[in-house]
Amino acid sequence: MKKKYFLFTTLALLAVVIKTSAQTDNTFSGIGSGVNNTGDFNTGFGKDALLNNTSNSNNAFGVRALSIASAGFNSAFGNESMRYNTFGSLNSAFGTRSLMYNITGASNIAIGHRSMESNTTGSNNTAVGYASLLFANGNNNIALGVNTPRHLRTGSYNVFIGAETAKNLISGNGNVFLGNVILESAPTT
């Protein structure tokens, strides 16, 4: 009789181990956090943080932070940071709504409230400061300062240092702006 219980107990434990091995080392806290998670090594804190995550090694802290994630190795800190990130990987967003609309952009660093908020596809960018690279979609840009560049929509290989640098620049490539530079209305360089 003991052998039957031992065999039954062993099979039950084996079934539990096999069933739970699909997801390992995840930590979630908050209503909706990690509800549809299928990945491993993820951490989500806040309402709907990592709500629909199918990848690994993502960290989300804040309401709806990184709530859609099919790519891994992202860090989102702040309400709605990286909220719509779907396929972008290796991104770091620190600040409310930073990289909020990112979909495929990869290897971006956004530090500051609303920094890189509208970026959807741009990669390899660094934005530090409130609303830095706010509307920009480009690659390999560096922006340091509040609202810098204020109006840029497209452009790559640019460097912006200073508050509201390159004001009125709509698109441009390979530029370096230092200080508070105001350009003619809607220029392209």
Side-chain angles (χ1 to χ4, degrees):
M1 191 66 156
K2 284 186 177 186
K3 287 183 181 183
K4 286 182 184 179
Y5 285 117
F6 176 74
L7 179 61
F8 177 74
T9 304
T10 303
L11 289 175
L13 287 173
L14 183 59
V16 169
V17 168
I18 290 172
K19 184 177 179 182
T20 60
S21 67
Q23 298 177 18
T24 59
D25 297 325
N26 292 305
T27 304
F28 300 104
S29 178
I31 297 170
S33 180
V35 168
N36 299 315
N37 178 66
T38 59
D40 299 323
F41 314 110
N42 298 291
T43 306
F45 287 92
K47 183 180 186 306
D48 296 334
L50 284 172
L51 174 69
N52 296 306
N53 178 56
T54 60
S55 193
N56 302 319
S57 301
N58 286 312
N59 298 292
F61 296 82
V63 176
R64 289 181 293 280
L66 202 54
S67 57
I68 302 170
S70 296
F73 306 98
N74 293 298
S75 296
F77 293 81
N79 292 348
E80 298 188 311
S81 59
M82 294 182 67
R83 179 178 180 178
Y84 298 105
N85 185 75
T86 308
F87 302 108
S89 62
L90 301 166
N91 293 297
S92 297
F94 299 89
T96 301
R97 296 172 66 175
S98 56
L99 276 168
M100 181 175 173
Y101 293 102
N102 190 66
I103 296 171
T104 60
S107 302
N108 292 301
I109 299 170
I111 301 172
H113 176 72
R114 297 185 70 190
S115 60
M116 294 186 68
E117 179 179 352
S118 297
N119 181 72
T120 56
T121 60
S123 296
N124 305 312
N125 296 295
T126 301
V128 179
Y130 170 81
S132 56
L133 289 174
L134 176 63
F135 300 113
N137 250 319
N139 299 308
N140 305 298
N141 292 302
I142 299 171
L144 305 173
V146 174
N147 286 320
T148 190
R150 187 171 194 147
H151 299 104
L152 185 71
R153 299 294 188 266
T154 59
S156 297
Y157 302 98
N158 295 299
V159 177
F160 307 96
I161 300 175
E164 295 194 63
T165 298
K167 190 172 183 179
N168 296 327
L169 179 66
I170 303 298
S171 65
N173 297 310
N175 296 296
V176 176
F177 292 95
L178 301 174
N180 188 326
V181 177
I182 299 174
L183 301 170
E184 294 176 19
S185 189
T188 300
T189 62

